[in-house]
Amino acid sequence: MLVKTFGSAVYGIEAITITIEVNILAGTKYFVVGLADTAIKESYFRIESALKNCDYRMPRQQVVVNMAPADIRKEGSAYDLTIAIGVLAASGQIENENLDKYLIMGELSLDGSLQPIKGALPIAIQARKDGFKGFILPKQNAREAAIVNDLEVFGVESIKEVAAFFNDEIQLVAEVVNTREEFFKSLTNYDSDFSEVRGQENIKRALEIAAAGGHNVILIGPPGAGKTMLARRLPSILPPLSLYESLETTKIHSVAGKLAAADALVTTRPFRSPHHTISDVALVGGGSNPQPGEISLAHNGVLFLDELPEFKRSALEVMRQPLEERRVTISRAKFTVDYPSSFMLVASMNPCPCGYFNHPEKDCICPPGTVQKYLSKISGPLLDRIDLHVEVTPVNFNELASDRLAEKSEFIRDRVIKARDVQATRFGNKPDLHANAQMSPQMVRDICKISEAGQNLLKKAMEKLGLSARAYDRILKVSRTIADLAGSDEIQLEHLAEAIHFRSLDREGWAG
C-alpha cells in the first residue's frame, strides 16, 4: 500500500515542502531514496524501537521510503515522525484519509517521545503558503510555530498521540499564541540600563550617535575602563524591533535552534558576543550543512567583538563583504543560501599589548613600535568600515562614588527614535534603506551637502589625518546623523567637527 505524508526542508531561512512516499512491498528490507543523509537512513532503528515501545509494529516486509523532490538534499532527524506515520498508515495501523491535510515533523526517541526540531517557524510559514490545514510537531517547538496565523499548530509529546489523533481516538488541542500581545509584552525589557553607568558621557554620546544612524563603532581604552559594560547596554537605546524585524530575527534563531521552548518571538534586539577564538565559519555561517553564523544571529541587533586584535585576521576579513552588503551568501556545488546579516558592529580593544598607551595616569611599558604593530592586526579596510573610533578613559573615584543618577536608556532611546523617524522619511522611497550608515556613496553626495566652511574644515582634517575616501564618506554620514539628532536640516560646522573628533585611530597620536 502506498501512502504520502508531508514534511519540510529548510534552506537558508526559507522552507521547501517535502513529500514522503511510503510503499510496502513483498520482501524484507528497508530503503530510503531521494538524497537522504545518514541521519535519515539511521531513522529505521529509531522508528522501529519507538513503534515497538508504543505497542505498534514495524512491518516485516520491504519498506521503500521516497523523499520528493529527489534532487534536493535532505538532512537531519526531523523526518522521523513523518516517516513513522507513513509506515503506520501504509501498514494499516492508522487511518490515512486526513494525512494530506497536515505537515508532520519531529525527531523520535527510542521510547516514542519527541525531541525538538530546528526551523519550526519557516516551516510553519511555508505550510500555510502550501494550504495545509495544520502542522503537527514536538511540543517544545509549538509556541514558535503558533505565531503563524490561519494554521492549526498541534504540539505533541509522543508518536502515540499522533497515531491516536489520526485514528479519531483523541482530539489534539491547537497551540494559540497572540502574536501582537507576545510581541509587545517584552519589547523594551533589557536587563541593563545606561542609568547604571557613572561618568563616561563622551562614550554615551558616541553610542547614541551610533544607535541613531546604525553606525559601527570601536571603543579603545585600558582594561577596566568600561568598554564591555557600555557595549552591552547599546541594545537598550536602539529603536524597538518592528513586527517584521521580529519575525525575520526569530526565523534565523529558529533555523539555528537557538529559541527556548517558552519563546514564541524574539522581541528584543539580539546582542551576540562571540569569543575571539571563533572560527571563520562560526562567525559568518556555513559548514557542510550550512547554518547561520554569529553575524546572522546578530541580524537587527548588535555584534560585539571584544578584544578585536585577538581575533584571527582571516575571521575578521570575511566580515568585510557582509558589513557592506548586509547579507552573507554561502555557496555549495548544488545550492546557494542567503542569510541576512544587517547588524551594528561594536568592537573593543586595548590600545596596546600592556593596555596603558595614552593612559592619563599609568605609563605604557611596551617597547617602541609595539603599538603600531598591535593596531596593524586589524586591517585598514576593516577599520575604514567602522564609523566611530572612541577613546574610553577610566572613571575617577568621585564619579564612581557619586549618587547622581545618570540618564535612563528610555530617554536616550526616545531621541534615537526621533532621529530614525527623520531618516525613515528621508529614505521613504527606498525600502532597503533604514539608516544613514546604509547610504551609498552617491547618496552621501546628494544628501550630506556641506557649506564651503565645512569643506575647508574637512579638507584640513583629511590632510592632517590622512583619511581614505571611505573615511571621508563615513565622516559625512556621521555628521548627518548628528544633525538629525539635533533636529537640523543642514549639516553645521559643529556637527562635522564632532564627527571628525570620533576618528581617534586616524590621529597622529596613534601612529606609535
Side-chain angles (χ1 to χ4, degrees):
M1 185 178 180
L2 174 65
V3 166
K4 292 183 181 180
T5 55
F6 298 90
S8 197
V10 177
Y11 287 90
I13 58 170
E14 305 300 329
I16 301 168
T17 298
I18 302 294
T19 304
I20 312 288
E21 300 173 324
V22 181
N23 200 14
I24 296 182
L25 306 164
T28 57
K29 291 193 174 180
Y30 177 88
F31 297 99
V32 179
V33 295
L35 271 187
D37 74 346
T38 306
I40 297 172
K41 290 176 179 175
E42 288 174 345
S43 66
Y44 173 82
F45 304 103
R46 292 191 295 271
I47 291 169
E48 183 182 41
S49 179
L51 293 182
K52 187 175 180 181
N53 285 317
C54 291
D55 302 322
Y56 297 104
R57 59 181 172 78
M58 190 75 177
R60 295 301 166 208
Q61 295 158 279
Q62 180 171 292
V63 179
V64 180
V65 179
N66 178 44
M67 309 183 79
D71 61 340
I72 293 177
R73 181 86 177 155
K74 292 91 183 173
E75 295 161 341
S77 52
Y79 299 99
D80 289 359
L81 184 61
T82 327
I83 297 170
I85 293 299
V87 168
L88 287 176
S91 58
Q93 297 178 73
I94 64 169
E95 299 294 328
N96 64 7
E97 55 190 49
N98 290 321
L99 284 180
D100 61 344
K101 296 177 183 175
Y102 296 92
L103 194 139
I104 306 166
M105 294 290 283
E107 179 188 332
L108 281 171
S109 292
L110 298 185
D111 62 356
S113 61
L114 292 174
Q115 299 295 326
I117 62 171
K118 292 179 180 180
L121 178 56
I123 292 171
I125 292 169
Q126 188 60 39
R128 183 181 65 181
K129 276 185 192 171
D130 290 341
F132 286 98
K133 179 185 177 184
F135 181 17
I136 297 171
L137 77 168
K139 200 166 189 70
Q140 298 97 312
N141 300 112
R143 280 183 59 78
E144 67 176 277
I147 66 172
V148 178
N149 53 20
D150 300 327
L151 179 74
E152 292 181 346
V153 173
F154 300 110
V156 293
E157 293 181 346
S158 75
I159 190 173
K160 217 168 191 175
E161 287 181 56
V162 185
F165 171 68
F166 283 113
N167 280 335
D168 288 330
E169 295 169 6
I170 63 167
Q171 288 295 316
L172 295 177
V173 179
E175 186 81 25
V176 178
V177 171
N178 185 324
T179 307
R180 295 198 171 273
E181 183 183 303
E182 193 74 25
F183 174 63
F184 289 111
K185 183 173 69 177
S186 55
L187 203 54
T188 54
N189 283 1
Y190 291 97
D191 295 332
S192 47
D193 195 277
F194 267 97
S195 62
E196 301 155 359
V197 180
R198 300 284 182 266
Q200 306 288 26
E201 300 304 325
N202 183 45
I203 295 86
K204 289 180 191 174
R205 170 65 177 169
L207 293 180
E208 181 181 338
I209 294 166
H215 301 289
N216 301 322
V217 57
I218 184 166
L219 306 175
I220 313 124
K227 303 184 293 294
T228 304
M229 177 191 68
L230 285 156
R232 288 194 180 279
R233 283 158 175 74
L234 180 57
S236 70
I237 64 169
L238 288 170
L241 286 169
S242 66
L243 185 54
Y244 173 78
E245 287 176 325
S246 178
L247 282 166
E248 192 176 39
T249 308
T250 305
K251 277 170 81 172
I252 297 168
H253 285 248
S254 172
V255 168
K258 301 289 185 187
L259 277 182
D263 294 334
L265 274 174
V266 174
T267 55
T268 54
R269 300 223 173 240
F271 180 89
R272 304 294 299 182
S273 179
H275 192 259
H276 64 257
T277 55
I278 191 169
S279 68
D280 306 7
V281 170
L283 187 62
V284 298
S288 54
N289 304 331
Q291 286 285 300
E294 287 292 334
I295 64 172
S296 295
L297 292 170
H299 180 59
N300 291 323
V302 175
L303 178 70
F304 177 51
L305 302 183
D306 201 3
E307 302 302 339
L308 188 67
E310 303 304 327
F311 281 78
K312 285 192 300 181
R313 191 171 182 122
S314 61
L316 296 179
E317 294 307 297
V318 292
M319 280 205 321
R320 281 160 51 179
Q321 189 178 2
L323 274 169
E324 290 288 327
E325 296 186 359
R326 302 194 173 269
R327 64 184 173 84
V328 59
T329 303
I330 296 160
S331 298
R332 294 292 176 265
K334 292 188 177 178
F335 63 91
T336 299
V337 296
D338 276 355
Y339 292 116
S341 58
S342 179
F343 59 91
M344 274 181 66
L345 173 64
V346 180
S348 77
M349 60 179 285
N350 293 331
C352 65
C354 80
Y356 296 108
F357 180 70
N358 273 3
H359 193 283
E361 295 167 6
K362 295 188 180 179
D363 293 328
C364 174
I365 58 170
C366 298
T370 309
V371 175
Q372 188 57 39
K373 187 179 177 183
Y374 188 69
L375 291 177
S376 67
K377 287 185 178 182
I378 309 162
S379 71
L382 181 64
L383 272 181
D384 270 352
R385 284 169 169 80
I386 298 175
D387 305 345
L388 299 160
H389 306 163
V390 188
E391 284 187 74
V392 183
T393 52
V395 181
N396 63 44
F397 176 80
N398 291 335
E399 285 181 320
L400 276 176
S402 170
D403 291 332
R404 185 174 63 86
L405 283 177
E407 189 175 26
K408 286 187 174 180
S409 287
E410 61 180 291
F411 300 128
I412 304 173
R413 186 167 60 240
D414 288 342
R415 293 197 296 271
V416 168
I417 291 170
K418 282 179 185 173
R420 287 284 183 111
D421 288 343
V422 171
Q423 293 162 57
T425 305
R426 179 181 298 136
F427 306 128
N429 60 344
K430 298 185 185 300
D432 294 334
L433 271 180
H434 306 290
N436 288 334
Q438 299 168 4
M439 285 191 287
S440 66
Q442 184 55 50
M443 292 183 73
V444 172
R445 300 291 184 277
D446 295 339
I447 292 169
C448 304
K449 295 186 184 298
I450 53 178
S451 64
E452 191 175 338
Q455 291 278 13
N456 291 334
L457 175 65
L458 199 46
K459 182 184 176 185
K460 287 177 183 174
M462 287 197 69
E463 288 171 353
K464 186 175 181 183
L465 305 178
L467 301 181
S468 67
R470 185 182 273 120
Y472 171 81
D473 280 355
R474 300 282 168 183
I475 288 172
L476 288 178
K477 287 180 186 179
V478 172
S479 56
R480 180 64 264 172
T481 300
I482 295 168
D484 291 342
L485 278 168
S488 170
D489 293 333
E490 303 292 329
I491 297 174
Q492 307 294 338
L493 279 177
E494 60 267 26
H495 304 149
L496 263 177
E498 189 173 6
I500 294 166
H501 165 69
F502 289 125
R503 297 292 299 185
S504 293
L505 290 179
D506 296 319
R507 294 207 290 271
E508 285 180 6
W510 287 96

